[in-house]
Amino acid sequence: MEKEKVLNYAHSHKKDFLADLNSFLEIPSVSTQSENKPDIQKAAEWLASRLKKIKMEHIQILPTAGHPVVYADYLHAPTNAPTVLIYGHYDVQPADPLELWETGPFNPTVRDDSLFARGASDMKGQIAACLYALESILSEGSLPVNVKFIFEGEEEIGSPNLAPFIESHKDLLSSTFALNPDTGMIASDIPTIVYGLRGLAYFELRVFGPAHDLHSGVFGGIIHNPAT
């Protein structure tokens, strides 16, 4: 595989890649809103179709208790080559407040070399970048590693069904390491490797007390004060 040929393929197909990404961004796959459930399914089907187009194999749209997971792999690397599990999420945040958008959130628009749309950078754009990179490499040869994909549709609601899915699909997802491209870069011309991400930490605090005011001078030593 010649690096220059791969890069030439990528550059020569830039317009095609952008048009393809736009079709992905046009799908309002908002995971928090029940009315967008058909769009979630449509986004999963878009991914399955795109994975098939670049010759990935064993493509499946797998159900969960919530939104589906898209799986695919390409396992033709030399013996003992590592297996990379590529993670992504195809759901997006709601577009509100709409009045702050200069152009429609699901109408991809290029301004000053940047692409504006809901999901362009979180993270449909990163998913697309991985797929187009693999397409470019495979156009000129083979992959030096095995790859597997897991694309979920619930990241923006805390991935409630991802852990059970992984637990029940351990063999399918078995890999040497995982790659999560859902990150940023220091600058557009500075490649960046992010090696750690913070998780969520949250709690719910419930305070309760008497049903009506109790004078502290009379009851203060007997009744627990919710403020304390």
Side-chain angles (χ1 to χ4, degrees), residues 135-187:
E135 177 180 333
S136 301
I137 293 170
L138 289 170
S139 71
E140 296 297 333
S142 58
L143 295 176
V145 297
N146 297 304
V147 293
K148 294 182 177 181
F149 302 88
I150 177 173
F151 296 139
E152 65 156 323
E154 297 185 333
E155 194 272 350
E156 299 294 2
I157 53 175
S159 303
N161 294 295
L162 184 60
F165 179 86
I166 293 173
E167 183 68 29
S168 61
H169 293 80
K170 286 182 179 179
D171 292 339
L172 184 69
L173 301 173
S174 175
S175 57
T176 311
F177 62 91
L179 171 66
N180 176 11
D182 190 10
T183 53
M185 294 175 62
I186 296 173

Side-chain angles (χ1 to χ4, degrees), residues 43-102:
E45 292 171 356
W46 187 97
L47 280 169
S49 176
R50 197 64 183 75
L51 288 161
K52 182 178 180 180
K53 184 177 179 180
I54 64 171
K55 303 296 190 296
M56 297 298 104
E57 300 172 343
H58 307 115
I59 301 165
Q60 303 176 69
I61 299 177
L62 298 166
T64 72
H67 300 318
V69 167
V70 181
Y71 173 86
D73 59 40
Y74 193 81
L75 309 176
H76 298 287
T79 304
N80 298 324
T83 298
V84 184
L85 177 65
I86 300 175
Y87 164 87
H89 68 87
Y90 59 86
D91 63 320
V92 299
Q93 286 275 359
D96 299 318
L98 293 175
E99 65 272 14
L100 297 182
W101 286 84
E102 293 184 26

